[in-house]
Amino acid sequence: MTRDIAEVPAVEVIVTVAVNLMSAAAVKLGLTEDGDQHKDLDEARKLVHALAGLLDASATEISSFHAAPLRDGLKSLQLAFREASAVPDEVGQGPGEKYTGPVYG
């Protein structure tokens, strides 16, 4: 059954978009069963950066109940990106670190 978008709370929309960005980034980082088949670090960088921007912009709009696991997932993706990169970005220059600050592994 499809719900009318007017009935969906904003927090649910934000969390759903964030989870979709996380899932897409994981695929592009090669973290799925297919591994390297879909790995594309350029695409992963864009998705992780977009996720960080969304979480930064919505931080005051969603509760810590929703935000905490999303931030944890984001950090995991940022660390996975750093590990997957042949030439890792300088600390503070990785995807989304503009919004989250430096991520250390």
Side-chain angles (χ1 to χ4, degrees), residues 3-56:
R3 294 189 337 186
D4 186 309
I5 195 72
E7 298 174 14
V8 181
V11 169
E12 191 173 325
V13 173
I14 293 167
V15 170
T16 299
V17 170
V19 169
N20 285 331
L21 287 168
M22 291 175 92
S23 297
V27 168
K28 296 298 184 178
L29 284 167
L31 301 177
T32 61
E33 288 182 15
D34 296 334
D36 289 340
Q37 183 178 355
H38 301 289
K39 190 173 184 177
D40 184 335
L41 294 183
D42 185 51
E43 290 291 301
R45 177 184 293 280
K46 294 171 188 171
L47 292 163
V48 172
H49 190 76
L51 174 62
L54 174 64
L55 295 181
D56 183 58

